[in-house]
Amino acid sequence: MTGDVTTRTYMITGPEPQWWYRDLISCLQATFGTVVAREGADPLAVLGAGWRFLHLPGDVRSEEFYYPCPPGASGEADLGAALAPHHDLRARWWQPADEDDLWREVRDTLTADRLVIAAVDNFHLPFRPAYGDVHAAHLVVVYGLDEARGLVYVSDAMPPAFRGAVPVEAFLRSWGSANPTDVQDAFFSDSRIGRRCLDVRLDTPPPPLTPELLGGFLRTDADAFTTAASATPATQARAGLAGFDAFAAELVERCRAGDVTALRELYPFGWGMQAQASLHGELLRRCGREWGDPELAGAGRAVESVAHAWTGLRITGAHGHADPRAVSADIAHHTTVLRGLYARAVDAVGAAAARL
């Protein structure tokens, strides 16, 4: 890394970050996985250790990276803790404090050999398929800055995948975009980007994952599914199987009433639940294979079936969002199927945990 504070002709680049991607995840898990890998930890072991159902009514935003994040013990929401409840992963949203020097915090972070996760609008990024066509809120990793040449170095694991330089002007348009309503994307437009960034830190290096350690994680997760109330008074958060029942019943009711917003919210909300189930299932399958535990691997497959069932619900909602009444019966069917798969997977995880 090189830089000269007095001349402000910076060239700050670290090693190219690792792409981390799975088919059912969004840019949220992909960018967090890249940061976790840079910290020397296994992204799947960190991001796949926890599995929850959580819905916060009225909280869903039209962003690819939306994830339900209730306030923690400190009273503040921590996206890292929500994504990795069993690890010391912390994430803080921030925006540039100095309008005259938008790059100061980015520069400081990169100089400290850390990565920046930036919110962007795909419409303004030359490497995204939506460039110049569709507005959509997205996340990328910034790993370098060359102010003298006017370049920002960006890594994006989401297909078609890109790692390299972007003109500063294009990045600034994307980073500061109003992300206006776009009829071509009802799910990730109409959400101001506002030069937001995420500071993500893994405070404590995770210990090696053992059967005993994973068993504790699984028991905690299974208990959360079966004992959580449908809504907690403090946040009205819908958690666990009872929370899913409340979410599904309201979703079907809103569809029957012709509520377009219900299906516009379903797509971004469901992606977070789908991604987490996918990662958790993959981790259990991997551990079951490595440890010679077919029951654990089977539990992983059961959790993955939940992830895949979210596809039917999300896609039905996406195609039918303009006429919710017309798809209300299909939505009801998909929620019923998904509820059965959740129950089966929770039982399988609980049984595997009891043996670990």
Side-chain angles (χ1 to χ4, degrees):
M1 294 187 184
T2 62
D4 183 336
V5 175
T6 58
T7 63
R8 293 181 54 161
T9 55
Y10 284 86
M11 173 67 177
I12 309 173
T13 57
E16 290 189 344
Q18 171 185 325
W19 281 326
W20 196 78
Y21 173 74
R22 299 294 191 276
D23 282 343
L24 296 184
I25 67 174
S26 76
C27 60
L28 177 65
Q29 292 79 20
T31 53
F32 270 66
T34 292
V35 173
V36 168
R38 173 63 71 86
E39 294 288 334
D42 175 8
L44 183 61
V46 173
L47 298 175
W51 179 43
R52 309 283 167 86
F53 175 84
L54 179 65
H55 177 246
L56 304 178
D59 180 67
V60 182
R61 297 179 300 279
S62 54
E63 300 165 337
E64 182 182 337
F65 46 88
Y66 170 76
Y67 196 84
C69 186
S74 66
E76 296 185 1
D78 190 317
L79 187 53
L83 285 171
H86 303 302
H87 293 80
D88 288 330
L89 188 66
R90 300 292 175 260
R92 176 184 63 88
W93 284 104
W94 62 269
Q95 295 169 288
D98 186 352
E99 281 294 320
D100 294 325
D101 187 2
L102 297 174
W103 298 108
R104 179 167 59 83
E105 291 92 347
V106 172
R107 198 184 300 124
D108 291 346
T109 303
L110 296 176
T111 300
D113 197 26
R114 297 179 53 247
L115 300 170
V116 175
I117 296 177
V120 291
D121 177 357
N122 284 332
F123 184 92
H124 300 288
L125 290 179
F127 62 86
R128 291 303 306 174
Y131 178 56
D133 184 26
V134 181
H135 290 278
H138 185 55
L139 293 178
V140 297
V141 173
V142 176
Y143 68 95
L145 176 64
D146 187 342
E147 292 185 82
R149 298 171 59 200
L151 299 174
V152 182
Y153 290 83
V154 171
S155 177
D156 186 359
M158 299 299 287
F162 172 84
R163 192 164 46 209
V166 174
V168 163
E169 294 81 4
F171 184 86
L172 286 174
R173 286 194 294 270
S174 182
W175 192 30
S177 173
N179 189 27
T181 300
D182 193 321
V183 295
Q184 298 181 90
D185 193 327
F187 311 108
F188 304 136
S189 64
D190 191 26
S191 177
R192 179 176 292 276
I193 303 300
R195 296 186 186 130
R196 284 175 288 164
C197 288
L198 276 165
D199 177 55
V200 179
R201 299 170 184 259
L202 189 60
D203 290 340
T204 305
L209 189 59
T210 63
E212 294 76 17
L213 186 60
L214 181 60
F217 296 163
L218 299 188
R219 284 187 287 275
T220 298
D221 294 341
D223 288 346
F225 266 106
T226 56
T227 63
S230 62
T232 59
T235 62
Q236 292 302 304
R238 294 165 172 169
L241 293 175
F244 179 85
D245 290 340
F247 159 77
E250 182 184 72
L251 176 64
V252 172
E253 181 181 351
R254 291 173 69 184
C255 286
R256 289 171 177 164
D259 187 344
V260 173
T261 302
L263 293 184
R264 287 183 174 172
E265 292 179 347
L266 171 62
Y267 196 80
F269 165 72
W271 203 350
M273 297 299 98
Q274 180 176 42
Q276 190 185 42
S278 173
L279 295 178
H280 189 62
E282 182 185 349
L283 178 64
L284 300 194
R285 275 197 305 106
R286 187 181 77 179
C287 290
R289 181 181 67 250
E290 292 177 350
W291 298 341
D293 187 336
E295 186 170 353
L296 181 60
R301 288 190 290 273
V303 177
E304 285 180 314
S305 72
V306 171
H308 290 293
W310 270 105
T311 298
L313 180 58
R314 292 179 64 227
I315 297 302
T316 297
H319 285 289
H321 81 274
D323 188 358
R325 290 188 180 92
V327 296
S328 60
D330 290 333
I331 292 293
H333 168 72
H334 284 297
T335 57
T336 300
V337 170
L338 188 52
R339 177 56 166 83
L341 291 171
Y342 261 115
R344 174 174 170 267
V346 170
D347 286 344
V349 168
R355 297 176 54 256
L356 291 175

